[in-house]
């Protein structure tokens, strides 16, 4: 894999850390700004919604920009938003910085996904995506627990400064290692924006985007609410939360790495094996979460299966959107973040039901079941073709 891919992954690591780090910082932020934890939680929603809206919007604006310049601009804007957030004493300003950071993240990821696909041969998009997404999975392994620990020791503002600092070597790497050329130059002559947007009317593209969103919703429905399962259901001390998050992150790294080697040539195998196992795993975790050893094992397994299946489906988005070379990354980004926003919202509604802390785990199982019901009869359609040969 070319070096620029790993430079992009470093930036994705910083951005992934920012996206998830608020899970452990909300109480401190709420206390300092004298708002409720629920109100502070709007910072997470603002980021997710900014990602959904920002991905296609910013990608459309940046399609005529040089790739290196656009990626560098997005990284520096992301860093600046965190620097402002780290010094502000106004909650509305902090909220605004999360929106700006989300837009920068969305634009970066949309361009990076497209750029990553052009740095490798057409039949290796899955492996390129695996390298890029390893930044996100590494964030769940090290960035999020590390950010939570830093916030505990030095305050939540220190975590914001740390994320801003992480962006600087990534920016330097992009400046030195990323080839020049416009995003639009991915395709000879560059198709018109209207032509690229018309790809969204293709049933197969809509299908894989929907399935990617469903699987990602299932992933983040449970990931967001693992803490009460650890301390409440399993009865473990609070410091075990970081251990469980790391286990989930390690599993996700393994899953996306293995799937990256299979999703280009044998996506059907990932879907056929990973889908049913993922479906069984969430209810099993809900039933066995009271046992710490079972909790640890199943969290690792579910992290691996979730990201293996999810990354494979997102790879299919890139293949199915081959006719939209500058917008394909934004379609994949939007699908990912619709799931990341919807899953926790659905899961949160179950916390006050009889299911209690286990409600999100059952929710994840239900979301995967819906995805498989859609996926199974159409599996050959989903996995048909590679690279540009999927374009109708």
């Amino acid at each position: 894999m070319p070096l620029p891919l790993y430079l992009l992954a470093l930036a994705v690591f910083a951005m992934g850390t920012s996206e998830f780090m608020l899970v452990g910082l909300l109480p401190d932020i709420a206390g300092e700004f004298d708002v409720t934890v629920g109100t502070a939680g709007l910072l997470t929603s603002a980021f997710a919604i900014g990602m959904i809206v920002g991905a296609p919007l910013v990608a459309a604006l940046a399609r005529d920009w040089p790739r290196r310049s656009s990626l560098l601009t997005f990284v520096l804007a992301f860093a600046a938003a965190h620097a402002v957030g780290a010094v502000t004493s106004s909650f509305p300003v902090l909220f605004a910085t999360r929106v700006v950071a989300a837009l920068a993240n969305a634009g970066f990821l949309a361009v990076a996904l497209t750029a990553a696909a052009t740095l490798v041969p057409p039949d290796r998009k899955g492996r390129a995506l695996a390298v890029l997404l390893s930044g996100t999975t590494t964030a769940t392994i090290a960035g999020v627990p590390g950010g939570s620990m830093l916030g505990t020791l030095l305050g939540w503002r220190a975590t914001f400064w740390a994320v801003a600092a992480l962006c600087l070597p990534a920016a330097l790497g992009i400046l030195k290692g990323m080839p020049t050329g416009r995003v639009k130059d991915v395709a000879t002559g560059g198709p018109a924006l209207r032509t690229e947007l018309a790809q969204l009317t293709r049933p197969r593209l809509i299908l894989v985007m929907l399935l990617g969103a469903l699987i990602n919703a299932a992933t983040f429905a449970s990931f967001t609410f693992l803490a009460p399962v650890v301390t409440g259901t399993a009865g473990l001390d609070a410091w075990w939360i970081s251990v469980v998050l790391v286990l989930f992150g390690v599993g996700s790294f393994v899953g996306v790495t293995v799937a990256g080697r299979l999703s280009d040539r044998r996506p059907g195998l990932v879907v056929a094996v990973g889908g049913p196992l993922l479906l069984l795993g969430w209810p099993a975790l809900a039933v066995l979460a009271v046992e710490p050893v079972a909790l640890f094992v199943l969290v690792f397994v579910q992290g691996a299966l979730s990201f293996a299946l999810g990354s494979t489906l997102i790879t299919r988005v890139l293949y199915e959107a081959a006719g939209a070379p500058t917008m394909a990354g934004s379609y994949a980004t939007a699908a990912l973040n619709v799931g990341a926003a919807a899953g926790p919202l659905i899961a949160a509604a179950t916390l006050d039901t009889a299911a209690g802390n286990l409600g999100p785990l059952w929710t994840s199982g239900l979301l995967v079941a819906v995805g498989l019901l859609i996926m199974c009869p159409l599996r050959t359609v989903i996995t048909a073709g590679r690279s540009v040969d999927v374009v109708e």
Side-chain angles (χ1 to χ4, degrees), residues 102-163:
L103 292 173
N105 190 355
F108 180 89
L109 194 55
V111 176
L113 284 167
T114 303
T118 68
L119 294 173
V120 296
D123 63 347
R124 302 188 77 186
K125 289 182 181 179
R127 292 192 67 178
L129 180 65
V131 171
L132 195 63
L133 290 182
S134 69
T136 298
T137 57
T138 305
T140 63
I141 297 169
V144 176
S148 178
M149 184 179 299
L150 184 63
T152 300
L153 295 174
L154 301 177
W156 65 269
R157 295 180 187 274
T159 305
F160 274 63
W161 280 120
V163 170

Side-chain angles (χ1 to χ4, degrees), residues 23-128:
V23 172
L25 303 177
L26 289 181
D28 291 340
I29 293 174
E32 182 165 335
F33 287 97
D34 195 24
V35 298
T36 66
V37 173
T39 299
L42 294 176
L43 297 172
T44 301
S45 300
F47 197 96
I49 293 171
M51 288 285 287
I52 295 167
V53 176
L57 177 62
V58 180
L61 291 174
R63 67 194 303 268
D64 289 317
W65 299 356
R67 271 180 288 170
R68 185 169 63 186
S69 298
S70 61
L71 290 169
L72 185 61
T73 298
F74 290 137
V75 168
L76 293 178
F78 189 84
H82 283 77
V84 173
V87 299
T88 186
S89 58
S90 166
F91 185 79
V93 171
L94 181 61
F95 185 92
T97 66
R98 296 305 288 170
V99 175
V100 171
L103 292 173
N105 190 355
F108 180 89
L109 194 55
V111 176
L113 284 167
T114 303
T118 68
L119 294 173
V120 296
D123 63 347
R124 302 188 77 186
K125 289 182 181 179
R127 292 192 67 178

Side-chain angles (χ1 to χ4, degrees), residues 56 60 63 191-206 209 320-328 330-331 391-392:
R63 67 194 303 268
L193 179 59
R194 180 181 300 178
T195 301
E196 296 203 45
L197 293 176
Q199 294 292 306
L200 288 172
T201 63
R202 298 180 66 246
R204 288 207 313 219
L205 176 57
I206 296 172
M209 288 178 67
E320 294 295 341
T326 71
M327 296 297 291
S330 71
Y331 301 157
V391 180
E392 297 170 345

Side-chain angles (χ1 to χ4, degrees), residues 226 244 247-248 251 277-278 280-306 361:
L226 279 177
V244 169
L247 284 172
F248 186 92
L277 290 177
L278 184 63
L280 293 173
W282 290 123
L285 182 55
V287 171
L288 299 174
V290 68
E291 297 292 338
V293 174
L295 173 65
F296 298 154
V297 172
L298 286 171
V299 161
F300 172 84
V301 171
Q302 291 304 96
L305 292 171
S306 294
L361 303 179

Side-chain angles (χ1 to χ4, degrees), residues 259 261-271 312 316 383 386:
R261 298 179 179 277
L262 296 173
S263 59
D264 289 312
R265 300 185 181 279
R266 304 191 68 184
L269 177 64
V270 180
V271 172
T312 297
R316 301 317 300 174
T383 60
R386 294 197 294 267

Side-chain angles (χ1 to χ4, degrees), residues 7 23 54 67 82 172 229 233 253 280 287 350 354 370:
L7 301 175
V23 172
R67 271 180 288 170
H82 283 77
L172 181 61
V229 175
T233 305
F253 182 82
L280 293 173
V287 171
T350 68
V370 172

